[in-house]
Amino acid sequence: MDPVIITAALVGAEVTREQTPYLPLTPREIGLAAAEAAAAGASVIHLHVRTPEGEPTQAAAVFSAAVLAIRERTDVIVQVSTGGAIGMTAQERLQPVTCLAGRARPDMASLTTGSCNFADGVFLNPPPDVEAFARAMLQFDVKPEIEVFEAGMIENAVRLARRGLLAEPLHFNLVMGVPGAVPATPKQLLHLVETLPANATWTVSGIGRSQLSMSVLGLVLGGHVRTGLEDNIFYRKGELAVSNAQLVERVVRLARELDRPVATVAEARAILGLPAARP
Ligand code: KMH
Ligand code: ZN
């Protein structure tokens, strides 16, 4: 079986320290959490950052500090979020793609190709913004991970690729179980996987308690797996996960049982078509 790329989504924009004391917030905490997750088997870090007060931000200075804190400690692939948080402007969200320099430049960035309800809010991604994000990623040589919260977002990405705004093969993250978007069921996952272009790579993220079942399905179906506190703060019902690394370790154990070798960073770079290392 092909190696599985494990992505650790360390912090996100929605989870708070009140919900879990184990959430890394400062650039240093994020750097340490990334190094632990990488040591456990993660080869990609999906990155959001926070202000000192713990609020989500897309400020370039904070992203830069966090990426450097990660790069000081590990050679993991860094994927910055352009989703940010509900209510942010497109210009604000794009900063980690367009404003980071030198070693702080990201390898990848998330790119959501449509709008959807997102818990009590609306995650707005109008076509002109999506197109601008795709163009910026091409210009800054940052590989998009297409975030799919609803089936139509796959076709939107394929259309962008046909217009030359996304480079193929495309890489997708199937995000299952956000309240208001596609439910985390095996049937829905299979439908999304079968809808992908034939040469695409994909990972799956299960939100909340679906993180475990979606991880297992991702492994069985030959996909890649995202885990971490952004998507789920519990290890099991009523028991908080004590770190991102703990969640990664569980995916590694499952992968071993299911005969999926865990991708090294070099293998993940090759699978995703990334250069051997970001200069
Ligand atoms: N925080 C969500 C509104 C992404 O990182 O690109 C969007 C999100 C997706 O987390
Ligand atoms: Zn995210």
Side-chain angles (χ1 to χ4, degrees):
M1 288 282 261
D2 290 341
V4 56
I5 298 170
I6 301 176
T7 296
L10 301 178
V11 47
E14 290 82 23
V15 176
T16 65
R17 270 278 169 82
E18 286 67 48
Q19 293 170 307
T20 174
Y22 304 111
L23 194 68
L25 290 180
T26 65
R28 183 169 183 279
E29 289 167 354
I30 288 172
L32 290 167
E36 275 179 31
S43 47
V44 178
I45 297 296
H46 172 76
L47 184 65
H48 290 252
V49 295
R50 304 291 183 99
T51 65
E53 294 73 41
E55 297 299 319
T57 176
Q58 293 291 101
V62 189
F63 261 103
S64 181
V67 177
L68 291 175
I70 295 171
R71 298 233 194 269
E72 260 168 40
R73 294 172 172 87
T74 164
D75 65 350
V76 77
I77 295 164
V78 177
Q79 178 195 99
V80 293
S81 169
T82 68
I86 299 289
M88 288 176 170
T89 66
Q91 204 181 13
E92 208 178 344
R93 285 165 50 187
L94 199 49
Q95 291 173 89
V97 172
T98 57
C99 300
L100 304 190
R103 269 172 65 75
R105 288 175 61 211
D107 303 281
M108 300 179 70
S110 58
L111 173 65
T112 303
T113 49
S115 303
C116 63
N117 285 353
F118 194 100
D120 296 329
V122 179
F123 186 27
L124 265 184
N125 296 289
D129 291 350
V130 177
E131 184 173 324
F133 281 28
R135 284 186 193 281
M137 290 179 203
L138 273 181
Q139 184 188 342
F140 287 85
D141 190 24
V142 170
K143 178 166 173 126
E145 176 181 87
I146 298 147
E147 310 296 308
V148 171
F149 294 79
E150 292 285 10
M153 295 185 192
I154 296 175
E155 181 58 20
N156 293 345
V158 169
R159 275 202 297 266
L160 285 169
R162 274 195 214 117
R163 293 171 55 210
L165 295 174
L166 293 175
E168 293 181 273
L170 303 177
H171 176 66
F172 291 86
N173 176 25
L174 309 174
V175 187
M176 315 296 295
V178 168
V182 68
T185 66
K187 214 171 188 172
Q188 296 282 358
L189 180 62
L190 272 177
H191 172 62
L192 294 182
V193 171
E194 285 167 4
T195 306
L196 296 174
N199 62 352
T201 51
W202 62 275
T203 190
V204 59
S205 304
I207 304 302
R209 78 176 68 132
S210 75
Q211 187 172 65
L212 181 56
S213 57
M214 290 295 123
S215 298
V216 172
L217 284 170
L219 290 166
V220 170
L221 294 173
H224 304 286
V225 173
R226 173 168 126 173
T227 189
L229 297 175
E230 171 169 345
D231 300 339
N232 163 48
I233 60 172
F234 291 102
Y235 190 75
R236 57 172 70 86
K237 191 170 161 55
E239 184 185 322
L240 289 172
V242 297
S243 65
N244 281 285
Q246 185 191 27
L247 294 170
V248 172
E249 282 160 8
R250 175 157 62 185
V251 177
V252 170
R253 286 195 302 277
L254 291 166
R256 291 217 178 98
E257 289 297 324
L258 294 167
D259 216 12
R260 292 286 306 274
V262 174
T264 62
V265 173
E267 287 169 334
R269 284 185 172 281
I271 293 166
L272 293 169
L274 294 171
R278 183 53 102 188

